[in-house]
Amino acid sequence: AQIVEKGTAQEVVFDPLHPYSKGLMGSIIVPESGVRDAKLTDIPGVPPNLKDPPAGCRFAERCKYVRPECKVTSVEMREVGGGRAYRCIIPEAELREIYNNE
């Protein structure tokens, strides 16, 4: 297994940074009023083979923000402060801009 995001439960569930975490949170049914009618998202592709993981980001084949370097570059955790970190080549500010424009 490989950690893709670290933070408090509140941060990871309600403000995910890693694209796969964001996809997972968008695919969960939330019973709270005001949220329960939100459209669920799907995550394309199939989970990575954990016995023979791909080079680069393990979730590159399932990521709608994938870049060519994602498939070959070993991705390290990015620290963003307060004990929060995520594993993606896309900088936090750029990810947040992408998410805000969706």
Side-chain angles (χ1 to χ4, degrees):
Q2 186 180 73
I3 295 172
V4 295
E5 186 160 350
K6 290 189 321 185
T8 66
Q10 180 82 16
E11 290 169 332
V12 175
V13 171
F14 295 104
D15 184 31
L17 288 173
H18 190 278
Y20 190 72
S21 299
K22 184 157 182 65
L24 284 177
M25 294 306 110
S27 68
I28 296 173
I29 296 173
V30 178
E32 296 176 20
S33 66
V35 181
R36 79 179 94 189
D37 296 327
K39 184 178 184 296
L40 298 179
T41 59
D42 64 336
I43 300 172
V46 296
N49 179 345
L50 298 180
K51 288 185 179 182
D52 185 22
C57 178
R58 293 183 181 182
F59 298 99
E61 295 299 327
R62 304 189 79 188
C63 184
K64 64 182 179 177
Y65 316 114
V66 67
R67 298 170 179 184
E69 58 268 30
C70 297
K71 295 180 180 183
V72 295
T73 303
S74 178
V75 182
E76 298 298 322
M77 293 293 281
R78 283 181 181 263
E79 300 289 333
V80 294
R84 189 123 194 239
Y86 69 103
R87 187 182 305 275
C88 183
I89 64 167
I90 304 173
E92 177 188 8
E94 188 175 341
L95 280 173
R96 290 191 182 283
E97 184 176 335
I98 290 168
Y99 299 158
N100 286 335
N101 290 324
E102 291 184 325

